């Protein structure tokens, strides 16, 4: 039952149009594809090539956090035919972002409909104006990451939650404080009965439960929101079979995918969660991250203004008519407690707050403001739009009515003014493109500066990034195969040659290639799928992912596996003079032995051996063990941990005694 007054409906749609146009225009002005967005597209390329949902062919690693975003982009790439995957991701990101803010406004407008009782009100997009004004919100609307999908999901879930909460409460009379009661407009009663019939239908219940269950497949931490709402639905449901349908609809797909993940990848969570130790705690860094977002934009100002605007709008309702509602028959007190508009508002506010606390505990992110955008969006949903109504003359003196009207208009003008200022803010300023002690950068500006392209959208744009063109030359110059290691010279790569095959070497033989680098996305999209790409922080490297987190490492990059392991873990020559001199060949020899550790071998075999039904079941049973397994970064310490003997080393060991001999 949406707003029934013509002016109110008109201003709702004006708000939707205004916000989507401004957001779309602002996002397009800052359009780009992040390196992390290109990581997703590497997996999509492998899916389209028939290699499965992997980052490197022949190694089952889930390098993307958002499962649904990966497969949505895959479907877009498949349907788009020859369309570049970068443009597919760009289009999906922007369209879903705009859908998200539009659904948020429609959901909140519906929330206020019973309060307005068909009276005229001007609906102003206070909360959504604040969100779209924050520069990172516009940055990540086109980043190729799942932010747009998150907005669309939360906006859609919010709208359906409001419908669900209102449908069981039937309008009785129009009430007025200190005044008489009047019958409700029959149109309002008819609309409410229709909503109740629709919501109580099995189709609506199954659809809403299914939508709530998708949360964990969009972002693992969103399970708090989707799972929490499923609990509310179970409490409010009437009858055993209704609860069965809710459980099946909400849990079937997530459970099936979790079984697939455990058997296919051998893990309980995506590899990114292992690499970043999502269960870890870095409170100090988290508060640095919070300050990094608040400082340039003074987020506390709109928070105060929105709170004051809400109070002023509530005061203006004094003396106005409102719809008195009662719960439909058959609902117990507990069901009435959770299935009502106040409950869903509190739930969404609490969810946003808890999400924010989680990310602060985790330490935030290395991308400026990115992970706090979702908590902010959640907490702005109940005030995405705010109704402004003229104070009633029966409840206010003319002077007080004028003051309240002026205060309301002034507060919204203050929000609009702050939004205009922040929308043109330089953000982090000069520090935005530097990796300072905080480890946080303005990712869009960083890559725009590093590539010399104002809007880096395609993998080709990232060829201007240091070392990128050189890697193509290095691969062409090593037809016999090699592991490429980043050199101190940005125009070259160091090489560890591949072990040559036994003679005779067949004509046209081309050896294996692998590249060690942090920026997986730009490499993954500029190199062929036959080139293995590994990183030292573990996003796509199962060995690095299972090292321990470095306490003072850069957030999001706080694992660092030595390159000696990369040489040990592959078909590369492992001694001087074939390997660079800064690599310790003894460490390589020790790493070769350390890889024989039974637990490490089992963990790697789980993702590298050809998948069979037996291996799938084995991975399923050992997924918890593999998820919690950690190795030591130092090969010698890893040998000691596993109880393995030291290998025979070719380099004489330093003893502190003078050398002897003839």
């Amino acid at each position: 039952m949406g707003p029934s007054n013509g002016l109110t409906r008109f201003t709702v749609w004006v708000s939707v149009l205004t916000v989507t146009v401004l957001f779309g225009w602002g996002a397009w002005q800052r359009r780009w594809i992040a390196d992390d967005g290109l990581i997703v597209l590497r997996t999509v390329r492998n899916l389209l090539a028939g290699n499965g949902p992997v980052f490197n062919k022949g190694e089952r690693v889930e390098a993307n956090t958002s499962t649904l975003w990966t497969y949505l982009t895959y479907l877009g790439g498949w349907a788009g035919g020859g369309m570049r995957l970068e443009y597919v991701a760009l289009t999906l990101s922007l369209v879903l972002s705009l859908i998200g803010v539009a659904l948020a406004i429609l959901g909140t407008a519906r929330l206020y409909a019973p309060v307005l009782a068909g009276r005229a009100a001007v609906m102003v997009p206070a909360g959504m104006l604040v969100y779209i004004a924050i520069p990172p919100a516009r940055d990540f609307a086109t980043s190729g990451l799942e932010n747009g999908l998150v907005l669309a999901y939360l906006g859609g879930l919010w709208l359906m939650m409001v419908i669900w909460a209102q449908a069981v409460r039937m309008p009785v009379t129009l009430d007025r404080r200190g005044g008489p009661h009047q019958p409700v407009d029959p149109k309002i009663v008819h609309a409410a009965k229709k909503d109740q019939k629709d919501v109580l239908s099995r189709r609506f219940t199954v659809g809403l439960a299914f939508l709530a269950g998708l949360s964990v497949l969009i972002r693992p931490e969103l399970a708090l929101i989707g799972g929490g709402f499923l609990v509310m639905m179970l409490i409010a449901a009437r009858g055993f079979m209704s609860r069965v349908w809710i459980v099946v609809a909400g849990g079937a797909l997530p459970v099936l995918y979790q079984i697939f993940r455990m058997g296919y990848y051998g893990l309980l969570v995506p590899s990114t969660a292992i690499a970043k130790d999502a269960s870890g705690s870095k409170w100090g860094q988290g508060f640095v991250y919070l300050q990094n977002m608040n400082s340039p934009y003074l987020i506390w100002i709109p928070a105060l203004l929105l709170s004051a605007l809400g109070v002023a709008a509530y005061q203006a309702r004094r003396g106005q008519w409102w719809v008195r509602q009662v719960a439909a028959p058959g609902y117990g007190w507990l069901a009435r407690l959770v299935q009502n508009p106040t409950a869903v508002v509190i739930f969404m506010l609490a969810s946003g707050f808890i999400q924010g606390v989680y990310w602060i505990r985790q330490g935030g992110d290395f991308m400026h403001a990115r992970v706090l955008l979702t908590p902010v969006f959640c907490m702005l949903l109940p005030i995405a739009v705010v109704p402004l109504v003229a104070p009633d003359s029966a409840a206010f003196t003319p002077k007080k009515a004028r003051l309240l009207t002026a205060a309301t208009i002034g507060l919204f003008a203050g929000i609009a003014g702050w939004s205009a200022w922040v929308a043109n803010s330089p953000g982090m300023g000069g520090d935005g493109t530097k990796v300072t002690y905080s480890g946080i950068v303005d990712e869009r500006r960083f890559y725009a500066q590093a590539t010399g392209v104002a809007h880096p959208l395609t993998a080709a744009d990232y060829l201007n990034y240091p070392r990128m063109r050189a890697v193509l030359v290095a691969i062409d110059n090593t037809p016999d195969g090699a592991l490429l290691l980043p050199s101190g010279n940005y125009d070259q790569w160091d090489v560890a040659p591949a072990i040559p095959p036994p003679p005779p070497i067949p004509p046209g033989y081309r050896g294996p290639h692998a590249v060690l680098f942090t920026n997986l996305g730009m490499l993954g999209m500029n190199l062929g799928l036959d080139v293995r790409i590994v990183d030292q922080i573990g996003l796509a490297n199962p060995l690095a992912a299972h090292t321990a987190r470095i306490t003072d490492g850069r957030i999001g990059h706080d694992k660092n596996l030595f390159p000696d392991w990369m040489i040990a873990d592959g078909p590369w020559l492992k001694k001087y003079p074939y390997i660079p001199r800064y690599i310790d060949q003894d460490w390589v020899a020790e790493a070769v032995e350390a890889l024989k550790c039974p637990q490490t071998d089992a963990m790697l075999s789980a993702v590298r051996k050809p998948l069979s039904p037996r291996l799938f079941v084995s991975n399923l049973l050992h997924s918890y063990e593999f998820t919690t397994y950690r190795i030591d970064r130092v090969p010698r310490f890893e040998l000691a941990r596993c109880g393995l003997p030291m290998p025979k080393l070719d380099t004489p060991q330093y003893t502190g005694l003078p050398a002897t001999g003839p």
Side-chain angles (χ1 to χ4, degrees):
M1 184 176 61
S4 57
N5 180 270
L7 174 64
T8 306
R9 287 199 306 271
F10 174 74
T11 54
V12 167
W13 287 108
V14 168
S15 294
V16 169
L17 181 64
T18 301
V19 168
T20 52
V21 168
L22 288 175
F23 194 29
W25 179 78
W28 185 254
Q29 293 298 312
R30 306 168 79 95
R31 63 193 180 277
W32 71 305
I33 296 290
D35 179 70
D36 282 41
L38 296 177
I39 292 177
V40 177
L41 299 186
R42 168 82 172 193
T43 300
V44 173
R45 282 179 66 199
N46 272 300
L47 275 167
L48 291 171
N51 298 328
V54 299
F55 189 80
N56 287 310
K57 181 180 178 180
E59 189 173 64
R60 294 179 297 277
V61 173
E62 189 177 14
N64 307 330
T65 303
S66 176
T67 301
L68 195 57
W69 177 243
T70 299
Y71 287 96
L72 186 63
T73 310
Y74 162 69
L75 289 176
W78 173 78
M83 186 177 181
R84 289 190 68 111
L85 289 176
E86 295 94 321
Y87 296 146
V88 171
L90 177 74
T91 302
L92 287 173
S93 296
L94 181 56
V95 170
L96 288 170
S97 295
L98 299 183
I99 290 174
V101 295
L103 291 175
I105 292 173
L106 294 175
T108 307
R110 189 184 181 96
L111 179 72
Y112 290 126
V115 176
L116 298 174
R119 303 311 194 213
V122 175
M123 305 294 284
V124 293
M128 282 302 100
L129 199 61
V130 167
Y131 181 81
I132 69 172
I134 302 172
R138 302 195 302 280
D139 287 347
F140 290 103
T142 63
S143 64
L145 293 165
E146 71 280 354
N147 294 71
L149 177 61
V150 170
L151 294 189
Y153 173 76
L154 290 174
L157 182 64
W158 168 245
L159 174 59
M160 293 189 71
M161 285 173 65
V162 171
I163 295 172
W164 174 82
Q166 289 178 336
V168 297
R169 303 186 66 80
M170 298 299 298
V172 180
T173 60
L174 277 175
D175 285 9
R176 188 175 189 175
R177 182 175 300 173
H181 305 300
Q182 289 186 2
V184 178
D185 185 341
K187 293 181 180 178
I188 296 178
V189 176
H190 176 74
K193 288 182 177 179
K194 183 179 182 301
D195 277 350
Q196 185 182 47
K197 181 179 178 181
D198 291 342
V199 171
L200 294 179
S201 70
R202 180 171 294 174
R203 181 181 300 177
F204 182 90
T205 300
V206 169
L208 181 53
F210 179 79
L211 182 65
L214 287 179
S215 58
V216 70
L217 299 179
I218 295 175
R219 290 276 313 183
E221 67 274 7
L222 291 183
L224 170 71
I225 297 177
F229 183 61
L230 282 173
V231 172
M232 292 175 68
M233 291 186 70
L234 287 171
I235 293 173
R238 294 192 294 181
F240 174 76
M241 285 308 300
S242 293
R243 291 183 171 88
V244 170
W245 278 108
I246 291 170
V247 170
V248 172
L253 187 59
V255 169
L256 287 174
Y257 184 79
Q258 184 63 19
I259 293 171
F260 168 77
R261 170 183 282 152
M262 294 163 67
Y264 190 80
Y265 298 110
L267 294 175
L268 297 175
V269 294
S271 183
T272 51
I274 305 293
K276 298 181 180 182
D277 270 347
S279 60
S281 173
K282 282 193 172 183
W283 285 101
Q285 177 63 25
F287 284 112
V288 169
Y289 190 76
L290 177 64
Q291 176 63 16
N292 180 268
M293 179 180 180
N294 176 69
S295 182
Y297 314 122
L298 304 179
I299 302 293
W300 58 270
I301 292 178
L304 292 177
L305 291 175
L306 286 169
S307 299
L309 180 62
V311 172
Y314 180 81
Q315 287 297 318
R317 286 180 51 241
R318 288 173 53 197
Q320 296 282 349
W321 294 96
W322 72 89
V323 177
R324 185 167 69 88
Q325 297 177 302
V326 297
Y331 282 83
W333 69 270
L334 191 56
R336 294 196 302 271
L337 182 67
V338 298
Q339 193 169 1
N340 68 79
T342 301
V344 297
V345 168
I346 293 173
F347 174 79
M348 191 56 73
L349 291 173
S351 296
F353 178 77
I354 294 171
Q355 291 269 319
V357 170
Y358 165 79
W359 281 114
I360 292 171
R361 177 183 181 273
Q362 171 68 11
D365 192 36
F366 63 94
M367 300 186 196
H368 171 58
R370 180 200 169 197
V371 296
L372 291 181
L373 291 174
T374 298
V376 168
F377 188 77
C378 286
M379 289 190 283
L380 289 174
L381 281 173
I383 48 174
V385 287
V386 175
L388 303 184
V389 294
D392 191 271
S393 58
F396 295 91
T397 64
K399 182 178 180 180
K400 288 183 177 180
R402 287 194 298 271
L403 286 174
L404 185 57
T405 301
T408 302
I409 295 173
L411 287 168
F412 180 69
I415 291 170
W418 175 89
S419 299
W421 168 70
V422 166
N424 296 282
S425 165
M428 292 180 65
D431 285 342
T433 58
K434 303 173 185 174
V435 183
T436 61
Y437 77 95
S438 71
I440 305 167
V441 298
D442 182 331
E443 195 84 344
R444 182 188 63 83
R445 289 179 56 206
F446 176 87
Y447 282 116
Q449 183 185 76
T451 60
V453 179
H455 303 287
L457 292 173
T458 66
D461 291 332
Y462 279 91
L463 286 175
N464 295 325
Y465 193 79
R467 296 191 175 95
M468 285 303 101
R469 294 190 188 277
V471 76
L472 301 178
V473 175
I475 288 177
D476 285 341
N477 289 341
T478 54
D480 294 335
L483 168 66
L484 304 184
L485 304 171
S487 168
N489 184 339
Y490 286 175
D491 292 327
Q492 70 182 46
W493 287 76
D494 293 333
V495 171
I499 299 173
I505 298 178
Y509 168 78
R510 188 169 181 85
H513 282 92
V515 184
L516 169 65
F517 201 51
T518 305
N519 302 85
L520 295 171
M522 60 182 73
L523 273 178
M525 288 300 288
N526 279 305
L527 298 180
L529 297 179
D530 58 329
V531 179
R532 184 167 178 257
I533 301 171
V534 294
D535 65 307
Q536 73 275 25
I537 61 178
L539 295 178
N541 182 351
L543 199 59
H546 287 274
T547 57
R549 195 179 191 186
I550 300 172
T551 304
D552 297 320
R554 183 189 177 196
I555 191 69
H557 299 72
D558 40 11
K559 292 190 175 182
N560 189 6
L561 190 64
F562 300 114
D564 313 69
W565 287 92
M566 313 302 178
I567 297 175
D569 183 32
W572 323 114
L573 296 171
K574 306 181 189 313
K575 294 183 179 180
Y576 304 137
Y578 303 106
I579 61 176
R581 281 289 172 176
Y582 57 77
I583 301 292
D584 190 323
Q585 68 177 2
D586 291 347
W587 277 46
V588 174
E590 292 164 2
V592 169
E593 293 302 312
L595 288 171
K596 298 176 183 177
C597 180
Q599 297 95 324
T600 304
D601 180 68
M603 180 268 293
L604 292 176
S605 296
V607 299
R608 291 178 178 174
K609 283 186 175 181
L611 191 64
S612 64
R614 178 170 181 163
L615 182 59
F616 186 94
V617 173
S618 175
N619 288 350
L620 190 70
L621 297 176
H622 294 90
S623 56
Y624 175 78
E625 176 186 340
F626 294 149
T627 300
T628 56
Y629 182 65
R630 295 294 181 269
I631 66 172
D632 200 295
R633 296 166 60 237
V634 179
R636 183 169 296 191
F637 296 165
E638 177 64 8
L639 287 171
R641 187 189 69 83
C642 285
L644 296 174
M646 284 286 295
K648 183 179 180 181
L649 303 176
D650 294 334
T651 306
Q653 298 299 298
Y654 176 72
T655 63
L657 300 175
T660 59

